[in-house]
Amino acid sequence: MNAPQTPRQQLILGQVLHFLADPGEDDSANSYEYFPDGALWITDGRVAGIGRRTEVEANIAPAVRAAAEVFDYSGKLILPGLVDTHCHYPQSAIIASFSRQLLDWLNDYTFPAETAFADPAVAARTANWFLDRLLAHGTTTAAVFSTVHATSVDAFMAGAEKRRLRMLTGKIMMDRHAPPALCDTVAAAERDSLALIERWHGKGRLRYCVTPRFAPTSTPAQLTLAGELYHSRPDLHVQSHLAESLDEIAWVRSLFPAARDYLDVYDCHGLLGPRSIYGHCIHLSPAETARLAETGSAAAFCPTSNLFLGNGFFDHAAAIAAGIRVGLATDVGCGTSFSLIRTLNEAYKVSQAKHRPLPPLRAWFLATLGGAQALYLDEFIGNFALGKEADFIALDPRSTPELEFRLEKTDDLAQILFALMILGDERCVAATHVMGKPAFQRRTTAV
Ligand code: GUN
Ligand code: ZN
């Protein structure tokens, strides 16, 4: 018999911040805990203590403390790992491609790029590259679109498993209005999805996400299958796109004339409910807004993508006020950055265009606990509640000369967080830890 292993213990020192609830439009002080001279105590990859450094250390036996691994991030903010609620790893190499409209973008760049993922070597190389870049940008969990090819899911899941990441992905289901090389059939989608669910769903920290690309590229029969798959096992997720552009909405209306609205297409096929998330949701009717909220479906706010394609301004404050779970998303490669910090900058500008500015505490809530709640993963991640998986980042709020100069005369948390989201980017991510272990350490500070 093997001797029981000694638990792996880690002490993390720094300015610890996490959210307990949505700070709302007034940045409620009851919604978060902040320990400027703080510490996290981690046992076997899970949070075992959080608070003021002196108090956390006082609770640890001296011999245990002496044997623990210590990471001193003094002067840096320790936040839960960032959560990207909608992105496409196979589009990594087409980010920043000039385009006019959503449907042109899909035809001109997305479909040709995704066709290459029939090759497992392309899928493996891109998946591993993408996962490493996520970590360098401080993102530890994401809801990710693969391609129609089962091997694209295998490559991504294998890469995420190797890095012990909590990740969601699924094979795109698409049986019409796409090049033949990218189309499956109802039967093939069922066979491949079931095999992938068997292989990956619930393996370690991985979950499978049923992924009909969007209403126009699936026949009603395939959407019916997607709904059946979603309900076929506990804890399966659903991701798709909704109401991103006006042309897309008109197309959906012509393809599904009996549906009350765009959302109704998904609703009629059993695709709304807990663990479902829809990218964009810009042009929603009051009925669609109410139905998303009532069913517990979530919206992924993709500001860089929406600005890039000129599709409009998502009203995050109205959506949250209506009771919709909202997460933040890069939407790489329509989105213009892998960084959720840069994404917050654009989210703020979009919120200003809607005359409901996104305040800094709510912003960082959306990038952490809010994203975890939108994905229904908050029992595992999103904050430092005791027992949660210890994915976290160390952010250096003075990592660039501009931030340093801006923050010279303040140690006010809201000001620091706001400056970080407007002036900051991936250069602020000094380190990323997954289940306590360092997964990324920035070598140099860029100037
Ligand atoms: N709608 C359907 N597919 C896509 C996609 O890949 N990107 C974006 N932005 N919108 C979509
Ligand atoms: Zn998308």
Side-chain angles (χ1 to χ4, degrees):
M1 223 171 76
N2 291 336
Q5 284 203 326
T6 316
R8 200 186 136 95
Q9 317 266 22
Q10 289 156 322
L11 181 66
I12 317 297
L13 306 175
Q15 302 168 2
V16 178
L17 170 68
H18 73 149
F19 294 91
L20 308 172
D22 180 1
E25 286 186 83
D26 301 319
D27 266 355
S28 156
N30 298 326
S31 60
Y32 64 94
E33 287 182 323
Y34 177 49
F35 306 100
D37 193 6
L40 280 181
W41 179 243
I42 297 172
T43 301
D44 283 340
R46 290 175 186 277
V47 179
I50 172 173
R52 284 195 205 107
R53 177 182 177 168
T54 46
E55 285 168 12
V56 170
E57 290 201 280
N59 284 328
I60 309 169
V64 177
R65 165 75 175 80
E69 246 182 313
V70 179
F71 293 88
D72 188 349
Y73 294 123
S74 298
K76 299 186 177 65
L77 276 170
I78 309 295
L79 275 163
L82 307 181
V83 180
D84 187 346
T85 61
H86 181 113
C87 54
H88 300 250
Y89 95 83
Q91 297 179 14
S92 294
I94 55 165
I95 191 169
S97 297
F98 174 77
S99 189
R100 295 182 195 281
Q101 296 282 306
L102 168 64
L103 302 176
D104 304 320
W105 160 271
L106 290 178
N107 289 318
D108 296 347
Y109 301 106
T110 307
F111 291 156
E114 292 188 6
T115 304
F117 285 70
D119 179 351
V122 171
R125 175 171 179 256
T126 312
N128 284 300
W129 182 88
F130 176 89
L131 287 161
D132 284 339
R133 294 320 296 157
L134 287 195
L135 292 170
H137 286 76
T139 300
T140 49
T141 287
V144 181
F145 284 63
S146 292
T147 66
V148 74
H149 315 96
T151 48
S152 73
V153 174
D154 286 331
F156 185 84
M157 292 294 208
E161 185 186 32
K162 194 168 83 192
R163 293 167 180 77
R164 292 188 78 203
L165 289 165
R166 185 162 282 287
M167 286 284 165
L168 302 176
T169 195
K171 155 205 146 46
I172 281 186
M173 299 168 71
M174 183 155 65
D175 66 347
R176 63 171 171 172
H177 300 136
L182 280 184
C183 281
D184 56 7
T185 59
V186 175
E190 180 174 24
R191 183 199 60 219
D192 287 353
S193 302
L194 286 172
L196 289 166
I197 290 167
E198 207 50 55
R199 200 141 64 236
W200 296 111
H201 183 57
K203 191 164 190 210
R205 304 179 77 198
L206 307 173
R207 291 244 184 126
Y208 192 80
C209 205
V210 177
T211 308
R213 172 169 227 123
F214 68 155
T217 47
S218 285
T219 56
Q222 194 178 54
L223 291 174
T224 301
L225 168 68
E228 287 168 1
L229 285 171
Y230 165 41
H231 297 287
S232 70
R233 301 260 201 301
D235 299 331
L236 283 167
H237 294 243
V238 171
Q239 61 184 349
S240 193
H241 297 85
L242 174 68
E244 179 179 5
S245 88
L246 297 177
D247 289 350
E248 170 208 10
I249 293 169
W251 193 21
V252 171
R253 195 175 299 124
S254 72
L255 291 171
F256 298 90
R260 187 182 64 178
D261 49 40
Y262 192 161
L263 186 70
D264 195 43
V265 175
Y266 297 127
D267 203 356
C268 288
H269 293 92
L271 287 163
L272 301 186
R275 301 178 312 284
S276 72
I277 185 155
Y278 288 87
H280 309 294
C281 302
I282 302 170
H283 309 286
L284 296 180
S285 67
E288 289 174 300
T289 300
R291 188 72 186 137
L292 278 173
E294 170 182 298
T295 55
S297 310
F301 180 13
C302 310
T304 76
S305 170
N306 300 153
L307 294 171
F308 181 69
L309 286 178
N311 281 327
F313 304 124
F314 174 67
D315 195 339
H316 86 280
I320 295 173
I324 299 175
R325 294 178 184 227
V326 173
L328 190 70
T330 63
D331 193 29
V332 162
C334 249
T336 54
S337 171
F338 291 84
S339 164
L340 283 167
I341 305 177
R342 292 180 194 259
T343 303
L344 281 179
N345 176 325
E346 303 300 321
Y348 175 73
K349 294 170 190 165
V350 166
S351 74
Q352 283 286 30
K354 299 304 277 186
H355 309 295
R356 288 178 82 165
L358 172 62
L361 286 159
R362 176 178 255 189
W364 289 92
F365 161 80
L366 286 180
T368 55
L369 182 60
Q373 290 175 343
L375 296 176
Y376 286 78
L377 293 176
D378 50 307
E379 65 183 287
F380 307 110
I381 55 164
N383 67 10
F384 298 133
L386 297 185
K388 284 205 189 177
E389 297 162 352
D391 294 344
F392 67 89
I393 55 177
L395 282 187
D396 183 354
R398 292 175 176 79
S399 51
T400 69
E402 293 76 17
L403 274 165
E404 201 170 20
F405 200 68
R406 166 66 181 83
L407 294 175
E408 235 171 40
K409 295 188 179 60
T410 184
D411 56 8
D412 175 75
L413 178 65
Q415 287 211 42
I416 293 171
L417 291 177
F418 192 66
L420 260 176
M421 69 191 245
I422 300 300
L423 289 174
D425 54 45
E426 56 279 15
R427 288 172 296 174
C428 304
V429 180
T432 304
H433 287 233
V434 174
M435 299 289 287
K437 287 193 191 163
F440 169 78
Q441 299 271 351
R442 188 164 297 282
R443 277 195 296 270
T444 54
T445 305
V447 285

